[in-house]
Amino acid sequence: MSTKKDDESLTILKNLAILIFLFYLLQYIVCLILAASFDLWSYQPLGGQNGQFSVGVLPFWHYECGIQQGNVALTSWLSMVISQIGLTVAIFIVVRSTKHAWDYSTSLSILHFCITCAVTGTAPTNWAW
């Protein structure tokens, strides 16, 4: 009778899929709560920004991200911080292997960067990113 190891491909893919789902679920929940609390449903970005804003792209919004730059920037920054903290907790609950924690974290961060570039059409250049 064989035991399942943490470094088997199917185990890694299953854990990564669970983490991707949890990460984006948490990020969208946080973004929707913050968007509702800051009333961002009708926000229009400043004229010099390239992106077309909607609350649906808020988890990927990098044009405004940080503290003391307005409600959209604060929402974007807070959702990123809260989801990264949640991701850290989820990695140790789902993966249960500190040996592979960096692999999952790095893989998800690279995936999020690629999705952000695809959704917004540009690479993030903000200091918070």
Side-chain angles (χ1 to χ4, degrees):
M1 189 166 183
S2 65
T3 60
K4 208 191 298 187
K5 294 185 179 181
D6 286 338
D7 56 352
E8 290 181 6
S9 295
L10 287 176
T11 304
I12 291 170
L13 288 175
K14 181 188 78 154
N15 288 342
L16 190 58
I18 291 169
L19 289 173
I20 290 169
F21 174 76
L22 291 174
F23 175 72
Y24 284 110
L25 178 70
L26 177 63
Q27 193 153 23
Y28 269 102
I29 288 171
V30 169
C31 281
L32 289 175
I33 290 170
L34 292 173
S37 65
F38 289 130
D39 193 29
L40 300 179
W41 307 114
S42 61
Y43 174 77
Q44 294 297 320
L46 300 174
Q49 296 170 343
N50 301 330
Q52 193 70 313
F53 179 81
S54 79
V55 176
V57 298
L58 194 52
F60 311 104
W61 191 254
H62 58 82
Y63 298 108
E64 301 169 70
C65 185
I67 303 171
Q68 298 177 347
Q69 297 176 13
N71 290 341
V72 171
L74 183 60
T75 300
S76 179
W77 183 79
L78 276 175
S79 71
M80 183 175 60
V81 169
I82 292 170
S83 63
Q84 291 294 331
I85 291 169
L87 176 63
T88 303
V89 172
I91 284 174
F92 288 105
I93 291 172
V94 172
V95 178
R96 294 188 178 133
S97 170
T98 56
K99 182 171 95 172
H100 296 291
W102 279 107
D103 298 335
Y104 287 101
S105 177
T106 303
S107 297
L108 193 54
S109 296
I110 291 171
L111 176 69
H112 183 63
F113 177 79
C114 292
I115 292 173
T116 297
C117 291
V119 168
T120 62
T122 60
T125 57
N126 193 300
W127 70 268
W129 259 82

